[in-house]
Amino acid sequence: MPPQADSDGGAARTRTIPEASVARLAVYLRMLGELAEQGAETVSSDELAAATGVNPAKLRKDLSYIGSYGIRGVGYEVAALLHQLERVLGLGHKQAVALVGVGNLGHALAGYTGFGGRGFPVTALFDVDPDLVGIHINGILVQHVDSIPEVCARRGVTIGMIATPGPAAQGACDLLVSAGVRCILNFAPVVLQVPAEVEVRKVDLAVELQVLAFHVARRYVAEHPPVVNGHALNGHRTLLEGSS
């Protein structure tokens, strides 16, 4: 985890930031960027919390990890907090992203221009399909996966994204690791085996939909309680609501 930074930009105290807080810091950063574009100079914790859908107390706790406590009656200076979050999240370092697998999902990821705008330019694309190898997406040549070690090392790739079918994901991961890539975003429906020094984040869209389906079902039960002898059991508890 990134270390805590002092509010004056000095050395950080050796305090780690919880993974959940890191994810929220990235959300705060995005919203602060939008506020800066709108010309806002300050923002209160309540305003930033409402804009990001986070409890204000939780937001203040998250920002305290990086040594930012705001000013009573004023809030946070947008530009200063934006800069601080960028530093803590490592955006002061040059990033380069390689994407392995440019099928349906991969092609959409490769064509998304938002990565570069946020400091994560996609600089290399790889696949094994002869119909894809050799084409250009957003001006980037799709190369064969066999060239991953050489190309990634030469272009200084820091982050790898894997959007291959499941059976091909581990091989793609091994090639990225052999090229010195130590951070991987995995869209493939498999658990990757990596050395201890390699960080993997898994994005499983099917799992996210299943979680949403759970909430749909729970809401349906709440809105349609069972009826017994003509009476709705409004207090009825189900396994969906956590009863044992």
Side-chain angles (χ1 to χ4, degrees):
M1 294 299 95
Q4 178 188 21
D6 295 327
S7 58
D8 63 0
R13 293 197 297 272
T14 56
R15 183 182 180 187
T16 58
I17 305 177
E19 191 77 22
S21 293
V22 174
R24 290 191 293 269
L25 291 179
V27 176
Y28 306 151
L29 176 62
R30 181 188 64 194
M31 182 53 60
L32 287 165
E34 294 180 7
L35 290 172
E37 291 177 357
Q38 296 167 11
E41 295 184 355
T42 62
V43 62
S44 71
S45 58
D46 287 346
E47 291 170 336
L48 187 56
T52 54
V54 176
N55 178 280
K58 183 176 291 185
L59 178 141
R60 288 190 288 270
K61 177 66 173 178
D62 291 338
L63 295 181
S64 74
Y65 284 117
I66 65 171
S68 185
Y69 298 94
I71 302 172
R72 184 178 296 276
V74 176
Y76 300 92
E77 293 184 5
V78 171
L81 184 56
L82 181 67
H83 175 72
Q84 192 173 1
L85 285 172
E86 287 178 337
R87 186 179 64 253
V88 170
L89 292 173
L91 300 184
H93 303 284
K94 183 178 180 180
Q95 306 289 350
V97 179
L99 171 63
V100 186
V102 289
N104 292 331
L105 175 60
H107 199 287
L109 293 170
Y112 177 57
T113 59
F115 292 133
R118 295 187 181 276
F120 300 94
V122 176
T123 61
L125 301 173
F126 304 97
D127 208 289
V128 295
D129 189 338
D131 291 332
L132 295 173
V133 174
I135 70 170
H136 287 78
I137 302 176
N138 272 357
I140 303 173
L141 175 68
V142 178
Q143 301 179 76
H144 195 277
V145 294
D146 290 344
S147 62
I148 286 177
E150 185 271 326
V151 172
C152 287
R154 174 161 46 86
R155 298 184 184 176
V157 169
T158 55
I159 298 174
M161 292 196 298
I162 296 176
T164 67
Q170 186 63 56
C173 175
D174 293 343
L175 288 169
L176 288 169
V177 171
S178 71
V181 177
R182 294 294 177 262
C183 293
I184 295 173
L185 185 61
N186 178 32
F187 289 91
V190 295
V191 176
L192 298 175
Q193 303 301 316
V194 297
E197 69 272 15
V198 176
E199 182 76 18
V200 176
R201 298 281 297 182
K202 184 168 174 24
V203 180
D204 192 323
L205 299 179
V207 167
E208 297 303 322
L209 289 172
Q210 288 164 352
V211 171
L212 290 175
F214 165 81
H215 290 290
V216 169
R218 184 170 61 177
R219 177 169 295 184
Y220 179 85
V221 169
E223 295 175 351
H224 302 82
V227 177
V228 176
N229 296 328
H231 298 283
L233 301 181
N234 293 320
H236 179 69
R237 295 179 66 212
T238 72
L239 290 175
L240 285 173
E241 295 171 319
S243 63
S244 56

